[in-house]
Amino acid sequence: MANTPQAKKRARQNEKNRKHNASLRSMARTYMKKVNAQLEAGNYDEAQAAFKQAQPIMDSMVNKGIFAKNKVARHKSRMTAKIKALKAA
């Protein structure tokens, strides 16, 4: 348990930031799930629209330190490849 006033304040701030980060991470995952749901359903236009909506949110999560840069790049690359494959099919 934190004893000094500074440590107590940091504990309060850390808990507040943890909850905020969890909310942002959940929101980003929801947008990713929306893209994947459209891909599974085979809806090219809806998948493309969902991806365009999710892409800036994923990028902003990198800037906020919620996700690592390469993780988001990997997910975006895979989603793009699946959308292109859906169009070709």
Side-chain angles (χ1 to χ4, degrees):
M1 185 63 203
N3 291 322
T4 65
Q6 179 185 3
K8 289 178 183 177
K9 181 178 179 181
R10 285 305 303 172
R12 286 194 311 268
Q13 288 176 332
N14 288 340
E15 183 62 18
K16 180 180 170 187
N17 289 335
R18 185 186 68 82
K19 288 179 181 176
H20 185 251
N21 289 342
S23 173
L24 293 176
R25 189 166 35 252
S26 175
M27 179 187 69
R29 286 181 182 153
T30 300
Y31 278 96
M32 290 183 208
K33 287 177 191 173
K34 288 179 182 178
V35 176
N36 287 329
Q38 295 302 326
L39 288 169
E40 291 293 322
N43 301 328
Y44 171 76
D45 292 329
E46 288 85 353
Q48 184 73 24
F51 182 69
K52 283 186 179 181
Q53 198 175 24
Q55 195 171 6
I57 290 169
M58 293 164 67
D59 290 335
S60 70
M61 292 306 125
V62 171
N63 294 335
K64 293 176 183 181
I66 305 299
F67 292 131
K69 180 174 62 172
N70 285 353
K71 176 188 170 93
V72 170
R74 181 176 67 244
H75 280 277
K76 288 189 332 188
S77 175
R78 288 178 181 170
M79 286 180 191
T80 304
K82 288 179 182 177
I83 289 170
K84 285 183 180 179
L86 191 61
K87 184 178 182 181

